[in-house]
Structures are given as C-alpha cells and as structure tokens.
Amino acid sequence: SVSMFLNTLTPKFYVALTGTSSLISGLILIFEWWYFRKYGTSFIEQVSVSHLRPLLGGVDTSAPSAASAAGGDADSNRQSVSECKVWRNPLNLFRGAEYNRYTWVTGREPLTYYDMNLSAQDHQTFFTCDTDHLRPADAIMQKAWRERNPQARISAAHEALELNECATAYILLAEEEATTIVEAEKLFKQALKAGEGCYRRSQQLQHHGAQYEAQHRRDTNVLVYIKRRLAMCARKLGRTREAVKMMRDLMKEFPLLSMFNIHENLLEALLELQAYADVQAVLAKYDDISLPKSATICYTAALLKARAVSDKFSPEAASRRGLSTAEMNAVEAIHRAVEFNPHVPKYLLEMKSLILPPEHILKRGDSEAIAYAFFHLQHWKRVEGALNLLHCTWEGTFRMIPYPLEKGHLFYPYPICTETADRELLPSFHEVSVYPKKELPFFILFTAGLCSFTAMLALLTHQFPELMGVFAKAFLSTLFAPLNFVMEKVESILPSSLWHQLTRI
C-alpha cells in the first residue's frame, strides 16, 4: 500500500513538500535568531531546560544550595539594584599629568566623553552646594565644573583664585593643568590649606540650619578628596609608607565615607610594601558578607592564598598526588575571583594588552579588570609562581558555574549588560573583553542547516522534478522498508479475519 501511495505522487507534490519544509525551517530560524539576539539564548533550548527537563525527571538547579547562599555574600539580595551601576575608579589617574601625557605621545584620547561626563557629574555632586552663590569664588567654580572645554575650566579656576583662596579651584588645576605629579602635589597642598580652613568654619555652623549642613557636607567631601589625592601623589612618587599612613589616618578620621573606597588604595600600597599581614588584616575587615565586592578584594584574597603554595606548585605533581588543603584553598580563591570578574586573568597573564584605566569602572566588567590589572600586575609578578597557578586553574571556573548562566555559583548571576556599559566607558581603539561569549546555540545552527538543506532540495526539485521524484521514491521506500517487513510478518501471523477487522478499525 505504501508503494502504491508513493507511485501515485506527482513531481508537483515533491516541489510543494520541499518548498513548504524550506519555508517552515526558515521561519523557525528567523524566530530563533531574533530570540537569541534579544535574550542571549535559544528559545528551543530554553524551553527544553526550563519545562521539558523537569517533566522528564531532570534535576532542578534553580534552588541555591546552602554553600551558594553563604558564599554568595548576600549579593542576591541586591539583585533588585541596577545591575550595571557605574562606580568611581578609586585608582583613577590624573588628567593633566597622566591622561594628557598619553594623548601627547600617542595622539589617542584615553577617556571617552561618557566617562568624562560622569566625572563632571561627580564633581558637581561632591564640590558644589546650594550656598555657592553667596561666595563669588565658589559661584565661579560651580560654573567651571559644568564647562565641557578643559581650557575654559582652567581659566575659570584661575579667575576664582584671584578672588579668594578656593580649595576646589586648586583641585581642578591639580587634576587638569599640572603636567607632572610633583606639580599636582604642590597644588593639592595649597588646596589642603584652604580646604581645612573652610572645613573648620563650616563644622562650627553645621547645626545652624539645612544650608549650613549642606555646606559642611560639601567641605567634608572636598577635604577627603584632597587628602586622598595627596596620598596617591605620595604613592606615585615612591613615598609609599607615607602614603599608607595618610590613608590610614584618613580612614580613621572619616570612617563613614566609604564612597571613595580608600581601602582599595590602601591595599595596593601595602602590596607594594609587601606587608602581606597588613593586607590580610584589611581584607578581614572589608571582605565581609554584607559589603559589596570588587576585583581588588577578590583577586587580592586569591593572591594571598596563592602566595602560600605557588612557589612549589607543579601541575604534573598535583595531578599525580592530588591537591593539598592549602592548594585547594588557593584554587577555590582563584575560582571565586574569576567568577566575580572573568576578564582579569587575560590581563594578568598578558594575553590582552593593557590600556590606561578609565575614571569610572563597571564592577565585574572589562573596565574594572583593566583598572585592577593596571596597578596589580606587578604584585602578581612579584609572588613567585602566582601567575603560573592562575594560568593552570582559572579556566576551570567556567566548568563550575551552573548552566544556564542565569544561575550563579558563589555570586549572583553575571549581568549580561556589562558589554554595553564597558563600550561606553572604554575608548574605541580598545577591543572590549566580552563574557559570556554569545556563541550561536546548537538549535540555531541546526535550523540554519535544515533551512539550507531543504531550500536546496526545493530548488533541485523545481529544476529536475522527474529525477528528484525518483530519488524521493527510492529514499521513502528505503525508509519504510522496515515497516513493510514488520507489516508482512504481522499479516502472516495473525488470522486474515482478525487482520481485516483491525485494518477496518
């Protein structure tokens, strides 16, 4: 009966069949591609993982384990906060002495307009208040921070200094006009003298009204910024112990001003001094379950763990005898750091070229990885075998992270929006590191192959209907041959009357 059915089919049927198959597979391909571009995953794969696998008895990994909940450092509670919040880089360079010098040498702009615009907003937030119009110099500086032209800002700062000793005017000149760190330090010392006077005066009046409270808050921000930048100047000029003392004093004097993340500057300076016990003490305070993490925190913790075993670590020996407890702790710390920011290892291992870090960073993004590696690569190189241990173990992190990536292991899921934000923060000549790589899922490749194959069949069938009809009949006959064999055996076994009744049914 099957042979009779196949013999009755005309070439037009095969043309229509292959054309319809090609159209349907093409529509599926278009939908899959649209879904992948919008959500980063295959629709068929998503449905199979989310709905079909539980029905077939698959393990539901959506519920986090107790270890994940503890190791995740309560970051899941902050998931409602914007995933791509941009942070001020605690180790940002000086525009005049460093960023501009890079431009003079290479002709490239290291800072994007978006990054500089964020800095302008920060300056207006930290260095201005509603009472600035009462003081002529501050009124000029309030306009200066809004200026886009660097020369206009510098001219406004000089104009403000002609009227009065203005701390924020000195800050602007130190940041943008000074061409060396030595010049910047001199200007910051002048700013410190003016800033301390304003701070003492506003401190006495802070409880006399809301405007005095706002003025005191502004003067506090100015003073903290100046002292922090003076400490960074000392660090850049080689006076590292002096810089550490200045940072410690600043953290004791203003313990609530965590927005500047001064502890990250302190960690870098202590690593330069190789004061690893002091580094561990700082980490014990700031690597806390209730505090937000950063690449500096996670990778410094990994470096300290690696330092204990890296000088004697050998991958061949470890594969033979297994990892010791100390080596396991180091590897786990590296996995934790890589899961937090997967972009850092390529810079530490010099698989990607470094550029000057931006003034703002995106946590867990490529911008944060650049900012961390720019200052900390030397500290990893100083610890014997640390980079070798990182090289041997960092890629194993991705085998531990649950699939799909909507789930995390030690931290909340990696945000997908980091690539877009990093492209805004980083200059155009830099190749942005992307994680996870949006490789085409299997079902998109499968539907693309199916669509191409059926389209080719439809074209051949349209051009050579008789020949393709012969091939189709031969293929279908071969395909149905086992079924015909089974049917013949059933007919020979069952009585003819029973078989007649079954066929009628």
Side-chain angles (χ1 to χ4, degrees):
S1 58
V2 174
S3 301
M4 291 177 59
F5 172 73
L6 293 175
N7 290 328
T8 58
L9 297 177
T10 63
K12 291 182 179 180
F13 169 80
Y14 295 108
V15 174
L17 177 64
T18 53
T20 305
S21 302
S22 176
L23 176 63
I24 294 173
S25 57
L27 292 175
I28 296 174
L29 174 62
I30 293 171
F31 176 75
E32 277 281 293
W33 178 253
W34 168 83
Y35 194 88
F36 170 73
R37 295 285 294 177
K38 187 171 184 179
Y39 300 104
T41 186
S42 163
F43 174 77
I44 300 174
E45 187 175 359
Q46 186 78 6
V47 169
S48 62
V49 170
S50 303
H51 302 288
L52 298 182
R53 191 169 70 171
L55 294 176
L56 298 175
V59 179
D60 184 12
T61 58
S62 60
S65 62
S68 298
D73 302 332
D75 282 328
S76 58
N77 296 332
R78 292 187 290 272
Q79 233 178 323
S80 58
V81 183
S82 176
E83 289 181 328
C84 287
K85 178 182 177 182
V86 176
W87 300 70
R88 182 83 179 173
N89 181 8
L91 292 165
N92 68 304
L93 305 179
F94 293 83
R95 283 195 188 176
E98 292 171 309
Y99 288 120
N100 286 350
R101 186 175 296 276
Y102 177 85
T103 304
W104 298 335
V105 173
T106 65
R108 291 176 169 180
E109 290 291 343
L111 298 176
T112 63
Y113 174 75
Y114 175 71
D115 191 15
M116 291 189 288
N117 187 49
L118 290 175
S119 296
Q121 295 176 23
D122 291 339
H123 295 151
Q124 292 174 52
T125 302
F126 295 145
F127 302 151
T128 63
C129 67
D130 294 336
T131 61
D132 282 345
H133 65 278
L134 302 176
R135 295 184 286 191
D138 289 332
I140 293 174
M141 288 308 301
Q142 192 174 44
K143 295 178 181 178
W145 295 121
R146 296 193 180 100
E147 284 285 350
R148 293 186 179 182
N149 189 334
Q151 290 303 320
R153 289 196 297 271
I154 292 171
S155 299
H158 283 293
E159 183 182 346
L161 287 175
E162 291 175 0
L163 299 175
N164 193 7
E165 288 289 301
C166 181
T168 54
Y170 282 122
I171 289 175
L172 192 149
L173 295 178
E175 291 284 351
E176 301 195 29
E177 188 180 44
T179 56
T180 64
I181 301 298
V182 175
E183 292 178 20
E185 187 180 39
K186 290 179 181 178
L187 289 167
F188 273 120
K189 286 180 178 178
Q190 293 176 280
L192 179 63
K193 185 178 178 181
E196 284 179 335
C198 292
Y199 176 75
R200 284 193 296 269
R201 288 192 296 271
S202 63
Q203 191 176 31
Q204 297 171 357
L205 300 172
Q206 62 174 315
H207 301 298
H208 291 193
Q211 64 177 10
Y212 293 106
E213 181 69 29
Q215 187 173 323
H216 176 66
R217 191 183 310 115
R218 189 275 306 272
D219 292 338
T220 303
N221 291 336
V222 170
L223 185 62
V224 171
Y225 186 90
I226 294 170
K227 289 186 174 183
R228 173 174 160 269
R229 286 309 242 179
L230 276 172
M232 294 177 71
C233 287
R235 166 69 184 93
K236 291 174 183 292
L237 294 173
R239 307 195 307 271
T240 310
R241 294 188 183 279
E242 179 186 342
V244 167
K245 184 180 184 304
M246 294 171 70
M247 292 173 191
R248 288 190 185 278
D249 293 342
L250 185 57
M251 292 168 69
K252 289 178 182 177
E253 188 178 359
F254 302 98
L256 299 179
L257 286 181
S258 59
M259 59 188 172
F260 290 108
N261 291 325
I262 303 171
H263 61 276
E264 297 197 10
N265 300 84
L266 179 60
L267 284 172
E268 195 278 327
L270 290 172
L271 286 171
E272 178 64 22
L273 294 175
Q274 300 183 47
Y276 296 111
D278 293 336
V279 173
Q280 184 61 58
V282 175
L283 284 178
K285 181 178 180 181
Y286 288 96
D287 194 3
D288 186 77
I289 191 171
S290 61
L291 296 175
K293 296 293 174 285
S294 67
T296 301
I297 293 291
C298 294
Y299 278 89
T300 303
L303 177 60
L304 292 188
K305 294 280 180 65
R307 178 176 169 269
V309 298
S310 60
D311 56 336
K312 299 177 182 177
F313 178 78
S314 169
E316 294 80 11
S319 62
R320 286 196 307 269
R321 58 172 169 79
L323 294 174
S324 64
T325 303
E327 289 173 338
M328 183 64 72
N329 291 337
V331 171
E332 288 177 353
I334 289 174
H335 285 171
R336 171 181 182 253
V338 174
E339 183 182 344
F340 181 83
N341 193 318
H343 309 282
V344 173
K346 287 191 175 182
Y347 293 106
L348 292 180
L349 298 172
E350 299 183 80
M351 300 164 66
K352 281 199 71 177
S353 299
L354 274 173
I355 61 171
L356 294 187
E359 293 184 337
H360 288 80
I361 58 174
L362 180 68
K363 285 192 175 182
R364 307 186 76 179
D366 190 28
S367 51
E368 184 192 35
I370 292 171
Y372 172 79
F374 187 86
F375 292 99
H376 288 262
L377 176 58
Q378 58 181 332
H379 306 316
W380 279 81
K381 287 183 174 181
R382 189 179 293 125
V383 177
E384 183 182 355
L387 289 175
N388 177 50
L389 180 60
L390 177 68
H391 173 72
C392 296
T393 57
W394 74 279
E395 290 182 328
T397 307
F398 307 119
R399 292 192 292 271
M400 299 174 61
I401 300 176
Y403 185 82
L405 287 169
E406 283 76 13
K407 301 176 177 64
H409 180 59
L410 297 174
F411 296 97
Y412 60 92
Y414 187 85
I416 300 175
C417 61
T418 53
E419 180 185 356
T420 304
D422 277 331
R423 291 192 187 280
E424 294 286 337
L425 289 171
L426 297 171
S428 58
F429 58 81
H430 172 71
E431 182 182 351
V432 175
S433 177
V434 179
Y435 172 82
K437 286 285 187 181
K438 288 190 176 182
E439 297 177 356
L440 290 177
F442 166 76
F443 285 104
I444 288 186
L445 298 175
F446 176 76
T447 51
L450 181 64
C451 178
S452 303
F453 178 71
T454 52
M456 182 183 67
L457 282 182
L459 179 62
L460 291 174
T461 307
H462 183 267
Q463 294 295 324
F464 311 102
E466 298 292 341
L467 182 60
M468 292 303 294
V470 173
F471 279 121
K473 290 175 183 177
F475 174 75
L476 293 175
S477 299
T478 306
L479 187 65
F480 286 107
L483 180 61
N484 289 333
F485 177 77
V486 172
M487 294 292 291
E488 290 175 1
K489 290 295 182 182
V490 170
E491 286 181 357
S492 63
I493 295 173
L494 293 178
S496 58
S497 58
L498 178 60
W499 179 248
H500 180 68
Q501 294 298 326
L502 288 176
T503 53
R504 288 183 62 185
I505 293 173

